[in-house]
Amino acid sequence: MPRDLSGARGADSGAGAVKPDELDRVIHEPVRLSIAAVLAARREVDYLELRSLLALTDGNLAAHAGVLERHGYVAAEKGFAGKRPRTTYRLTPAGRRAFARHVERLRVLLGEGERDRR
Amino acid sequence: MHEPWLDDDVTARPADPGADLRTIRALMERARSYRHLPPAAAFTAGALAVAGAGATDAILARAPIAQSLGRLGLVWGAVLVAAAAGWVLLAWRSVRREGAPFVTPLAIEILHALWPPLVGALALTAALSRAGAAELVPAVWMLGYGAGAVAAGGFARRAVRWLGVAFVLAGLAHLALAPAPAVALGATFGGFHLVFGLVLAVRPAREA
């Protein structure tokens, strides 16, 4: 079972406290959000599997994973599987916190949107 | 630090929290689901089991089950090894087509879900045979295989879990009704896998 998103409460979340422009800009981008979601569900994911899961090109994946890595959200580990080079990605603790906070903010925004419509 | 990605594509994207949360949930589910279940592997396993059931019928026509344990063990051991080899080969081909690695943490979790009930069934087979209760062995394998499939189903598409449930129910029914072993083995290990292969073939998109 995937982690329950309802349990992902950020430290600074709170109903009525979130505006759309306060979303984490690093994670909010769709490709990076997808990468973070996959990594949040698994301990680590191989580069090729991540590319296949998200149907990304090499350049797209490398660029966006690189942004997440530079911001300390993702750690990349390079090694070998037999003679073939292999890169695996995982979310760092900071990345997990940022993802949980982002999900919580989305949930708060969604709740506010639904309240506005009522 | 300047990140051109942030300037170009983020500020322009309005927040759509509902869509984002749906995407996140779908991706997390997909990431936790093993996707390389080729229908051909299920058909192969089913066909091998039907052949095994035919051989079982022929063996039991000559001698009672208590005196046929060695031959039955050889037949079903061969079926198990050939079916497992078929799964590995066809799954490997499916994985390689995507360029993804074959051995992943997810695949290892599936193996860890499968092996305890199968080893348990093997141990019980030996114990029941020694105790003169060999007629219970087919039910033990249905229950063991079913338990493994239910456990592995937590890391794969829902059909795997339903396959496991079907095997567990069949095992319980076998204990209660004690049907002919060849018929029971053919209907479950043969029939269930053929139906499972059909489900994989007809609804492949739900897997991804």
Side-chain angles (χ1 to χ4, degrees):
Chain A
M1 285 289 291
R3 284 181 181 79
D4 184 2
L5 299 180
S6 64
R9 298 193 67 83
D12 54 350
S13 67
V18 178
K19 295 173 184 164
D21 58 1
E22 289 176 358
L23 290 169
D24 185 331
R25 295 170 64 197
V26 177
I27 281 192
H28 184 52
E29 192 283 329
V31 174
R32 292 194 289 271
L33 184 62
S34 301
I35 293 171
V38 169
L39 296 180
R42 298 258 294 272
R43 196 170 58 241
E44 62 177 29
V45 180
D46 179 273
Y47 175 90
L48 293 173
E49 190 185 2
L50 192 57
R51 188 186 67 178
S52 163
L53 267 170
L54 299 176
L56 295 172
T57 62
D58 281 323
N60 214 4
L61 174 56
H64 286 288
V67 173
L68 289 168
E69 206 178 338
R70 283 196 293 281
H71 283 269
Y73 288 175
V74 162
E77 191 174 325
K78 294 183 190 300
F80 285 88
K83 291 181 178 176
R84 301 174 62 163
R86 181 182 183 189
T87 303
T88 52
Y89 291 106
R90 62 179 170 78
L91 277 184
T92 62
R96 287 203 180 274
R97 282 195 299 274
F99 179 72
R101 195 163 52 237
H102 186 76
V103 168
E104 182 55 27
R105 287 177 171 178
L106 289 174
R107 288 169 53 81
V108 170
L109 280 172
L110 184 64
E112 287 173 349
E114 284 173 355
R115 273 201 304 277
D116 290 346
R117 278 194 290 278
R118 284 199 294 266
Chain B
M1 143 178 29
H2 177 70
E3 299 285 6
W5 322 100
L6 300 184
D7 297 337
D8 298 338
D9 53 7
V10 179
T11 51
R13 189 167 92 93
D16 185 350
D20 282 0
L21 287 170
R22 281 193 298 276
T23 300
I24 289 168
R25 188 178 295 278
L27 281 170
M28 290 180 81
E29 284 176 359
R30 189 193 293 190
R32 296 285 302 169
S33 178
Y34 190 76
R35 296 175 301 128
H36 302 288
L37 297 172
F43 289 135
T44 304
L48 285 166
V50 168
T56 299
D57 192 42
I59 290 169
L60 292 179
R62 290 197 206 109
I65 194 165
Q67 293 164 23
S68 310
L69 290 173
R71 282 189 294 274
L72 291 174
L74 277 177
V75 166
W76 286 98
V79 167
L80 180 66
V81 168
W87 275 109
V88 169
L89 181 69
L90 291 163
W92 182 81
R93 280 180 54 194
S94 164
V95 169
R96 299 310 292 176
R97 265 199 301 273
E98 286 192 3
F102 182 62
V103 179
T104 61
L106 196 56
I108 291 169
E109 287 193 79
I110 287 177
L111 276 181
H112 280 307
L114 275 174
W115 74 260
L118 294 183
V119 169
L122 193 62
L124 279 170
T125 297
L128 289 170
S129 302
R130 275 200 305 271
E135 68 279 4
L136 297 177
V137 168
V140 164
W141 279 97
M142 288 174 208
L143 291 167
Y145 188 75
V150 169
F155 308 103
R157 57 186 298 180
R158 211 165 294 155
V160 175
R161 189 170 286 172
W162 284 114
L163 177 72
V165 169
F167 267 99
V168 169
L169 292 176
L172 294 173
H174 192 280
L175 287 176
L177 305 173
V183 173
L185 291 166
T188 54
F189 287 98
F192 287 2
H193 279 117
L194 294 175
V195 172
F196 181 58
L198 208 58
V199 171
L200 295 179
V202 169
R203 303 175 69 186
R206 296 290 293 274
E207 182 183 351

